[in-house]
Amino acid sequence: AQSVTQLGSHVSVSEGALVLLRCNYSSSVPPYLFWYVQYPNQGLQLLLKYTSAATLVKGINGFEAEFKKSETSFHLTKPSAHMSDAAEYFCAGRSGNTPLVFGKGTRLSVIA
Amino acid sequence: ETGVTQTPRHLVMGMTNKKSLKCEQHLGHNAMYWYKQSAKKPLELMFVYSLEERVENNSVPSRFSPECPNSSHLFLHLHTLQPEDSALYLCASSQEFGGTGELFFGEGSRLTVL
């Protein structure tokens, strides 16, 4: 069965610094992986997804993630943090026709 | 209206009340979902409907009762809830159940049970 683990429930970065949010998956078959963002009092919005095409996936708002099979990872990065990036980020995954499984989320704070 | 719309956005109810949450998607999708989001917990999948048939029911207490009258509408009927049921309830839809498609979420219904 698919499971997703996000390392770090809270990450704090300075404005302009690199953002790195970690996600590891476990799956017996190639997974489909997603990153979502949730702003306060809103639903989840898709940032990007990996569906076994290119291993480096570019998303909205300057975010990207790289699928590394050898490390079973799908970490989310952004070169330069902006104040507006402060939100909760969720990694999610599924294998085949199974429900999407979400990680516990990582809250990103951006310090001016 | 576009996307996934949830009403009401906020709901306060007593433990003996009966209320319903409504979700409507305008995306032409075939699958719809209810998730529960509580503080300090991962998103919990409650129910999945695909082509109006329930395909997942994750051991949800019977005080939560879903209804999917057509592929565009999904309801969550609530009765005799407990304070621990207070949470953000998120509705989502996807083109099909499973596969590579992403879920599209509504903004949620914040439920408080007194």
Side-chain angles (χ1 to χ4, degrees), chain A residues 32 34 36 38 41-46 49 51 88 90 94 96-104, chain B residues 9 33 35 37 41-43 45 56 88 90 97-108 110:
Chain A
Y32 305 127
F34 305 79
Y36 284 84
Q38 185 179 31
N41 300 313
Q42 293 189 22
L44 278 68
Q45 178 184 2
L46 181 73
K49 67 177 182 181
T51 59
E88 187 93 18
F90 294 90
R94 72 156 72 93
N97 283 338
T98 58
L100 197 60
V101 174
F102 285 84
K104 292 186 178 181
Chain B
R9 292 292 312 278
Y33 311 74
Y35 282 87
Q37 186 177 32
K41 289 186 177 181
L43 271 75
L45 178 64
E56 287 282 337
L88 182 67
L90 291 165
F97 173 62
T100 62
E102 65 266 32
L103 271 61
F104 291 77
F105 284 84
E107 294 192 324
R110 173 72 62 186

Coordinates of all heavy atoms in Angstrom, one line a residue, chain A residues 32 34 36 38 41-46 49 51 88 90 94 96-104, chain B residues 9 33 35 37 41-43 45 56 88 90 97-108 110:
Chain A
Y32 N 2.1 7.7 -8.3 CA 1.8 9.0 -8.8 C 1.9 9.9 -7.6 O 1.3 9.6 -6.5 CB 0.4 9.1 -9.4 CG 0.2 8.1 -10.5 CD1 -0.9 7.2 -10.4 CD2 1.0 8.0 -11.6 CE1 -1.1 6.2 -11.4 CE2 0.8 7.0 -12.6 CZ -0.3 6.1 -12.5 OH -0.4 5.2 -13.4
F34 N 2.0 14.0 -5.8 CA 1.4 15.3 -5.9 C 1.9 16.2 -4.7 O 2.1 15.7 -3.6 CB -0.1 15.3 -5.8 CG -0.8 14.3 -6.8 CD1 -0.8 13.0 -6.6 CD2 -1.4 14.8 -7.9 CE1 -1.4 12.1 -7.5 CE2 -2.0 14.0 -8.9 CZ -2.0 12.6 -8.6
Y36 N 0.4 19.7 -2.8 CA -0.7 20.6 -2.7 C -0.3 21.7 -1.7 O 0.5 21.5 -0.8 CB -2.0 19.9 -2.2 CG -2.7 19.1 -3.2 CD1 -2.3 17.8 -3.4 CD2 -3.8 19.6 -3.9 CE1 -3.0 17.0 -4.4 CE2 -4.5 18.9 -4.8 CZ -4.1 17.6 -5.0 OH -4.8 16.8 -6.0
Q38 N -2.1 24.7 0.9 CA -3.4 25.2 1.6 C -3.1 26.5 2.3 O -2.3 26.5 3.3 CB -3.9 24.1 2.5 CG -5.3 24.5 3.1 CD -5.8 23.4 4.1 OE1 -5.0 22.7 4.8 NE2 -7.1 23.3 4.2
N41 N -7.9 29.0 5.9 CA -9.4 29.0 5.6 C -9.7 28.7 4.1 O -10.7 29.2 3.6 CB -10.0 30.4 6.0 CG -9.8 30.6 7.5 OD1 -10.0 29.8 8.3 ND2 -9.3 31.8 7.8
Q42 N -8.8 28.0 3.5 CA -9.1 27.6 2.1 C -8.9 26.1 1.9 O -8.4 25.4 2.7 CB -8.2 28.4 1.1 CG -8.4 29.9 1.1 CD -7.6 30.5 0.0 OE1 -7.2 29.9 -1.0 NE2 -7.4 31.9 0.1
G43 N -9.3 25.6 0.7 CA -9.1 24.2 0.4 C -7.7 24.0 -0.1 O -6.9 24.9 -0.1
L44 N -7.4 22.8 -0.6 CA -6.1 22.5 -1.1 C -6.0 22.8 -2.6 O -7.0 22.6 -3.4 CB -5.8 21.0 -0.9 CG -5.3 20.6 0.5 CD1 -6.4 20.8 1.5 CD2 -4.8 19.2 0.4
Q45 N -4.9 23.4 -3.0 CA -4.6 23.7 -4.4 C -3.4 23.0 -4.9 O -2.4 22.9 -4.3 CB -4.4 25.2 -4.5 CG -4.1 25.7 -5.9 CD -3.8 27.2 -5.9 OE1 -3.7 27.9 -4.9 NE2 -3.5 27.8 -7.1
L46 N -3.6 22.4 -6.1 CA -2.5 21.6 -6.7 C -1.3 22.5 -7.1 O -1.5 23.5 -7.8 CB -2.9 20.8 -7.9 CG -1.9 20.0 -8.6 CD1 -1.6 18.7 -7.7 CD2 -2.3 19.5 -10.0
K49 N 2.5 17.8 -10.1 CA 2.3 16.3 -10.0 C 3.3 15.6 -10.8 O 3.8 16.1 -11.8 CB 0.9 15.9 -10.4 CG 0.6 16.1 -11.8 CD -0.9 15.6 -12.1 CE -1.2 15.7 -13.6 NZ -2.6 15.3 -13.9
T51 N 3.8 12.0 -12.8 CA 3.0 10.8 -13.3 C 3.9 9.9 -14.2 O 3.4 9.4 -15.2 CB 1.8 11.3 -14.1 OG1 2.3 12.1 -15.2 CG2 0.9 12.1 -13.2
E88 N 0.4 25.9 4.4 CA 0.6 24.5 4.7 C 0.8 23.7 3.4 O 0.0 24.0 2.4 CB -0.6 24.0 5.5 CG -0.5 22.6 6.0 CD 0.0 22.5 7.4 OE1 -0.1 23.6 8.1 OE2 0.5 21.5 7.9
F90 N 1.2 20.0 1.5 CA 0.9 18.5 1.6 C 1.4 17.8 0.4 O 1.2 18.1 -0.7 CB -0.6 18.3 1.7 CG -1.3 18.9 2.9 CD1 -1.8 20.1 2.9 CD2 -1.4 18.1 4.1 CE1 -2.4 20.7 4.0 CE2 -2.0 18.6 5.2 CZ -2.5 19.9 5.2
R94 N -0.4 8.0 -4.7 CA -1.3 6.9 -4.9 C -0.5 5.9 -5.9 O 0.3 6.3 -6.6 CB -2.6 7.2 -5.5 CG -2.7 7.6 -6.9 CD -4.0 7.4 -7.5 NE -5.0 8.3 -7.0 CZ -5.3 9.5 -7.6 NH1 -4.7 9.8 -8.7 NH2 -6.3 10.2 -7.1
G96 N -1.7 3.2 -8.8 CA -2.8 2.7 -9.6 C -4.2 3.3 -9.1 O -4.3 4.5 -8.9
N97 N -5.2 2.4 -9.1 CA -6.5 2.9 -8.8 C -6.8 2.8 -7.3 O -7.7 2.1 -6.9 CB -7.5 2.1 -9.6 CG -7.6 2.6 -11.0 OD1 -7.2 3.7 -11.3 ND2 -8.1 1.8 -11.9
T98 N -6.0 3.4 -6.5 CA -6.2 3.5 -5.1 C -6.5 4.9 -4.7 O -6.1 5.9 -5.4 CB -5.0 2.9 -4.3 OG1 -3.9 3.7 -4.6 CG2 -4.8 1.5 -4.7
P99 N -7.1 5.1 -3.5 CA -7.3 6.5 -3.0 C -6.0 7.3 -2.8 O -5.0 6.7 -2.5 CB -8.1 6.3 -1.7 CG -8.7 5.0 -1.8 CD -7.7 4.2 -2.6
L100 N -6.1 8.6 -3.0 CA -4.9 9.4 -2.8 C -4.6 9.4 -1.3 O -5.5 9.7 -0.5 CB -5.2 10.8 -3.3 CG -4.0 11.8 -3.5 CD1 -3.0 11.2 -4.5 CD2 -4.5 13.1 -4.0
V101 N -3.4 9.2 -0.9 CA -3.0 9.2 0.5 C -2.1 10.5 0.8 O -1.2 10.8 0.0 CB -2.1 8.0 0.9 CG1 -1.6 8.1 2.3 CG2 -3.0 6.7 0.7
F102 N -2.5 11.2 1.8 CA -1.8 12.5 2.1 C -0.8 12.3 3.3 O -1.0 11.5 4.2 CB -2.8 13.6 2.5 CG -3.6 14.1 1.3 CD1 -4.7 13.4 0.8 CD2 -3.1 15.3 0.7 CE1 -5.4 13.9 -0.3 CE2 -3.8 15.8 -0.4 CZ -5.0 15.1 -0.9
G103 N 0.3 13.1 3.2 CA 1.2 13.2 4.4 C 0.5 14.2 5.4 O -0.6 14.7 5.2
K104 N 1.2 14.3 6.5 CA 0.6 15.1 7.6 C 0.7 16.6 7.4 O 0.1 17.4 8.1 CB 1.3 14.7 8.9 CG 1.0 13.3 9.4 CD 1.6 13.1 10.8 CE 1.2 11.7 11.3 NZ 1.7 11.4 12.6
Chain B
R9 N -20.1 27.5 4.5 CA -18.7 27.6 4.8 C -18.4 27.3 6.3 O -17.4 26.8 6.7 CB -18.1 28.9 4.4 CG -18.1 29.1 2.9 CD -17.0 28.2 2.2 NE -15.7 28.2 2.8 CZ -14.8 29.1 2.6 NH1 -15.0 30.2 1.8 NH2 -13.7 29.1 3.3
Y33 N -15.3 13.2 -3.5 CA -14.7 12.7 -2.3 C -15.1 13.6 -1.1 O -15.3 14.8 -1.3 CB -13.2 12.8 -2.4 CG -12.6 12.1 -3.6 CD1 -12.7 12.8 -4.8 CD2 -11.9 10.9 -3.5 CE1 -12.1 12.2 -5.9 CE2 -11.3 10.3 -4.6 CZ -11.4 11.0 -5.8 OH -10.8 10.4 -6.9
Y35 N -13.4 14.5 2.6 CA -12.2 14.4 3.5 C -12.5 15.1 4.8 O -13.2 16.2 4.8 CB -11.0 15.0 2.9 CG -10.3 14.1 1.9 CD1 -10.6 14.2 0.5 CD2 -9.2 13.3 2.3 CE1 -10.0 13.4 -0.4 CE2 -8.5 12.5 1.3 CZ -8.9 12.6 0.0 OH -8.3 11.8 -0.9
Q37 N -10.5 17.1 7.9 CA -9.3 17.7 8.3 C -9.3 18.2 9.7 O -10.0 19.2 9.9 CB -8.8 18.8 7.3 CG -7.4 19.3 7.6 CD -7.0 20.4 6.6 OE1 -7.8 21.2 6.1 NE2 -5.7 20.4 6.3
K41 N -3.7 16.3 12.6 CA -3.9 15.0 12.0 C -3.8 15.1 10.4 O -4.1 16.1 9.9 CB -5.3 14.5 12.3 CG -5.5 14.0 13.8 CD -6.8 13.4 13.9 CE -7.1 12.8 15.3 NZ -8.4 12.2 15.5
P42 N -3.4 14.0 9.8 CA -3.5 14.0 8.3 C -4.9 14.1 7.8 O -5.8 13.7 8.5 CB -2.8 12.7 7.9 CG -2.3 12.1 9.2 CD -3.0 12.7 10.3
L43 N -5.0 14.5 6.6 CA -6.4 14.4 5.9 C -6.9 13.0 6.0 O -6.2 12.1 5.6 CB -6.3 14.9 4.5 CG -6.5 16.4 4.2 CD1 -5.2 17.1 4.6 CD2 -6.8 16.6 2.8
L45 N -9.6 10.4 4.5 CA -10.6 10.1 3.5 C -11.8 9.5 4.2 O -11.7 8.5 4.9 CB -10.0 9.2 2.4 CG -10.9 8.8 1.3 CD1 -11.4 10.0 0.5 CD2 -10.3 7.7 0.4
E56 N -15.6 3.8 -1.8 CA -14.8 3.8 -0.6 C -15.6 4.3 0.6 O -16.3 5.2 0.5 CB -13.5 4.6 -0.7 CG -12.4 4.1 -1.6 CD -11.6 3.0 -1.0 OE1 -11.5 2.9 0.3 OE2 -11.0 2.2 -1.7
L88 N -12.7 20.6 9.7 CA -12.9 21.2 8.4 C -13.2 20.0 7.5 O -12.4 19.1 7.4 CB -11.7 21.9 7.9 CG -11.8 22.6 6.5 CD1 -12.8 23.8 6.6 CD2 -10.5 23.1 6.0
L90 N -13.7 18.8 3.8 CA -13.3 19.1 2.4 C -14.0 18.2 1.4 O -13.9 17.0 1.6 CB -11.8 19.1 2.3 CG -11.0 20.2 3.1 CD1 -9.6 19.8 3.1 CD2 -11.2 21.5 2.4
F97 N -11.7 8.1 -10.8 CA -11.2 7.6 -9.5 C -9.9 6.9 -9.8 O -9.8 6.0 -10.6 CB -12.2 6.6 -8.8 CG -11.6 6.0 -7.6 CD1 -11.2 6.7 -6.5 CD2 -11.4 4.6 -7.6 CE1 -10.7 6.1 -5.4 CE2 -10.9 4.0 -6.4 CZ -10.5 4.7 -5.3
G98 N -8.8 7.3 -9.1 CA -7.5 6.7 -9.3 C -6.8 7.3 -10.4 O -7.1 8.3 -11.0
G99 N -5.7 6.6 -10.8 CA -4.9 7.0 -12.0 C -4.1 8.3 -11.7 O -3.7 8.6 -10.6
T100 N -3.8 9.0 -12.8 CA -2.9 10.1 -12.7 C -3.6 11.4 -12.4 O -2.9 12.5 -12.2 CB -2.1 10.3 -14.0 OG1 -3.1 10.6 -15.1 CG2 -1.3 9.0 -14.4
G101 N -4.9 11.4 -12.4 CA -5.6 12.7 -12.2 C -5.5 13.3 -10.8 O -5.6 12.5 -9.8
E102 N -5.4 14.6 -10.8 CA -5.4 15.2 -9.5 C -6.8 15.5 -8.9 O -7.8 15.5 -9.7 CB -4.6 16.6 -9.5 CG -5.3 17.6 -10.4 CD -4.7 17.6 -11.8 OE1 -4.4 16.5 -12.3 OE2 -4.7 18.7 -12.4
L103 N -6.9 15.8 -7.6 CA -8.1 16.1 -7.0 C -8.2 17.7 -7.0 O -7.2 18.4 -6.8 CB -8.2 15.6 -5.6 CG -8.7 14.2 -5.3 CD1 -7.9 13.2 -6.0 CD2 -8.8 13.9 -3.8
F104 N -9.4 18.1 -7.2 CA -9.7 19.5 -7.1 C -10.6 19.7 -5.9 O -11.6 19.1 -5.7 CB -10.5 20.0 -8.3 CG -9.7 20.0 -9.6 CD1 -9.4 18.8 -10.3 CD2 -9.2 21.2 -10.1 CE1 -8.6 18.8 -11.4 CE2 -8.4 21.2 -11.3 CZ -8.1 20.0 -11.9
F105 N -10.2 20.6 -5.0 CA -10.8 20.8 -3.7 C -11.7 22.0 -3.6 O -11.4 23.0 -4.2 CB -9.8 20.9 -2.6 CG -9.2 19.6 -2.2 CD1 -8.1 19.1 -2.9 CD2 -9.6 18.8 -1.1 CE1 -7.5 17.8 -2.6 CE2 -9.1 17.6 -0.8 CZ -8.0 17.1 -1.5
G106 N -12.8 21.9 -2.8 CA -13.5 23.1 -2.4 C -12.8 23.8 -1.3 O -11.8 23.3 -0.8
E107 N -13.4 24.9 -0.8 CA -12.8 25.6 0.2 C -13.1 25.1 1.6 O -12.6 25.5 2.6 CB -13.2 27.1 0.1 CG -12.6 27.8 -1.1 CD -12.8 29.3 -1.1 OE1 -13.8 29.7 -0.6 OE2 -11.9 30.0 -1.6
G108 N -14.0 24.1 1.7 CA -14.3 23.5 3.0 C -15.4 24.0 3.7 O -15.8 25.2 3.5
R110 N -16.4 24.5 7.7 CA -15.9 24.4 9.0 C -17.0 24.1 10.0 O -17.9 24.9 10.1 CB -15.2 25.8 9.4 CG -14.8 25.9 10.9 CD -13.6 25.1 11.2 NE -12.4 25.5 10.4 CZ -11.2 24.9 10.4 NH1 -11.1 23.8 11.2 NH2 -10.2 25.4 9.7

